Amino acid sequence: MGILFELGFTFVRNSTDIESKSTEEPGECSCGWVFLDLYEPTGGLIMNKTFDLYVNGGTPYEKNVEVDPAISRRTTSNAFMSLISGNKQPRLNIKVQVPKRELKEQLDLLPDILIGNASLISMYSYYRQILADTLLKDRVDLESTELIHSPFLATFPATADQMDLMKIFREAWIERTKIIRAPEKRDIEYMKTEFALVYQSSVYPLVHLSALPTWLPGDLLVEMKRQEEIAKFQKMKFDKKGILAMLLSPDVEYQPFDMKEVAFNVIGQFCHNDPMAIAIQS
C-alpha cells in the first residue's frame, strides 16, 4: 500500500497571433508520477524519513519510462565528471514524519481517512468537537432527526473544500487567538465558542456572495475572479468596520436565502446513522 503522486499543470490556450482569436480553452498536462510505498521492506510502516524519488514518465502502468529521454541516468566512469554532472532527471522530495503529541491528539478526533490541508487539522478538529457536542450532548432526544439551527455546522464542510476561504478563516482565527488570554485558551468550551464566532464573522458571508464564482480547483481564471471578489469584500468590511454592516449593506448582493444555510441535517451527507461516525467530507 502506498501513495501515488501525479505531477501536472493546467493551462489556458492563448494565441500568439494577433489576427487569431484566443479560444481560452483550459487544459491539463501530466508531467510524470511517483509512487511512495508506505511500508518498509521488513513490513513495518515508514516513520520519520525523507525520500528523494525519481519522477517516472508515461503512466503508472508503464515501467522504466523517463520524463526526458534526452537525459540519461547512466553515470560516467569518471568520478569527478559524475560529481559535477550528477543525475539531472527530475526528482520529488517527500518527507514523512510521525505527528507530535499535540497534533496526534487532534488527529485522534478526526476520521481514519481524511484528505485535506495539514495546516487546517486543528480547525477540522474544532469542527468535529462542536459537531459531537451538538449531536451527543446538547440534544434532549438522540433519536430525533429534526433540523438543528446552526449556520456554522451547516456550511463549514462545504467551506472546508474551498482553500481560499479557509485561508481567510485561518488568518482570522490566528489573529483572534493572539488576544485570547492563556487561562481562556485552556478552556476548551470557550475556545470552541470563539471558533464558531470567528467563522461566522469572517467567511460565512463570503460563502453566500452572489458574485463569488463556484470553487473549481485548478481553474486559474476562476481563482483569479474569486480572489478579486474576496479582496473587494474584505476592503468593504474594513471600511465599514464590521461584519454586521456588510450583512446589511445595500452595496453587497447575496444569494437568495435558503433554510439550508442555517439548518444542519443530522441525517444529511455529513453524518451517518451512528453519531459517533461523523466525518468531514473534505
Side-chain angles (χ1 to χ4, degrees):
M1 185 172 69
I3 302 175
L4 178 64
F5 297 88
E6 184 174 6
L7 311 179
F9 62 88
T10 60
F11 60 89
V12 177
R13 298 180 186 274
N14 288 321
S15 175
T16 56
D17 189 350
I18 300 178
E19 297 180 358
S20 301
K21 185 177 180 181
S22 176
T23 62
E24 295 188 352
E25 179 186 358
E28 297 180 355
C29 184
S30 175
C31 302
W33 60 275
V34 172
F35 180 77
L36 173 64
D37 195 336
L38 295 179
Y39 289 89
E40 300 279 6
T42 57
L45 284 170
I46 57 175
M47 294 184 180
N48 296 324
K49 192 172 182 180
T50 300
F51 298 86
D52 198 28
L53 306 176
Y54 284 107
V55 177
N56 300 282
T59 69
Y61 301 100
E62 300 173 282
K63 301 296 183 182
N64 302 320
V65 178
E66 295 182 344
V67 175
D68 186 355
I71 304 175
S72 175
R73 292 187 181 180
R74 297 177 182 175
T75 57
T76 176
S77 57
N78 187 312
F80 179 72
M81 291 300 297
S82 177
L83 181 64
I84 294 177
S85 61
N87 191 332
K88 296 183 179 179
Q89 284 291 341
R91 292 180 290 185
L92 182 65
N93 188 271
I94 304 171
K95 190 173 185 179
V96 180
Q97 287 182 310
V98 175
K100 296 181 180 179
R101 179 180 176 181
E102 182 180 358
L103 181 59
K104 189 177 184 304
E105 291 176 353
Q106 296 173 356
L107 290 171
D108 287 341
L109 298 172
L110 300 178
D112 292 336
I113 300 176
L114 177 66
I115 300 175
N117 193 317
S119 64
L120 302 177
I121 288 177
S122 63
M123 309 183 83
Y124 298 151
S125 175
Y126 271 120
Y127 171 78
R128 289 269 290 182
Q129 292 179 69
I130 295 171
L131 182 53
D133 287 346
T134 303
L135 295 181
L136 303 176
K137 188 173 71 173
D138 300 338
R139 289 198 302 165
V140 177
D141 182 7
L142 295 181
E143 300 297 326
S144 173
T145 58
E146 292 183 358
L147 297 176
I148 298 174
H149 175 265
S150 175
F152 170 70
L153 293 180
T155 59
F156 182 88
T159 305
D161 279 336
Q162 305 177 54
M163 289 300 103
D164 49 4
L165 295 186
M166 289 302 291
K167 179 182 177 182
I168 293 174
F169 181 25
R170 182 171 180 266
E171 291 173 351
W173 177 239
I174 290 174
E175 289 300 314
R176 181 69 184 96
T177 55
K178 288 180 180 178
I179 60 176
I180 297 178
R181 295 178 300 175
E184 294 172 335
K185 287 184 178 180
R186 292 192 291 269
D187 186 346
I188 186 61
E189 296 302 322
Y190 176 85
M191 293 297 289
K192 286 187 288 188
T193 301
E194 286 296 306
F195 183 79
L197 290 175
V198 171
Y199 171 84
Q200 292 181 211
S201 64
S202 59
V203 296
Y204 176 74
L206 280 167
V207 175
H208 306 293
L209 272 183
S210 295
L212 191 68
T214 302
W215 170 256
L216 189 60
D219 192 317
L220 183 60
L221 297 179
V222 170
E223 291 180 7
M224 291 175 62
K225 178 62 176 175
R226 284 175 63 93
Q227 287 299 323
E228 180 183 334
E229 294 298 330
I230 290 173
K232 186 189 303 182
F233 182 89
Q234 294 292 82
K235 184 179 184 304
M236 292 179 64
K237 177 183 173 182
F238 178 80
D239 293 340
K240 293 182 180 294
K241 298 180 173 59
I243 194 63
L244 182 59
M246 287 297 296
L247 291 172
L248 301 176
S249 174
D251 301 326
V252 184
E253 184 176 336
Y254 295 98
Q255 298 169 356
F257 177 75
D258 190 324
M259 279 296 295
K260 293 179 181 178
E261 297 177 20
V262 296
F264 180 77
N265 188 355
V266 298
I267 57 174
Q269 61 174 321
F270 300 113
C271 277
H272 298 288
N273 291 331
D274 180 4
M276 293 303 293
I278 304 161
I280 298 177
Q281 305 296 319
S282 173

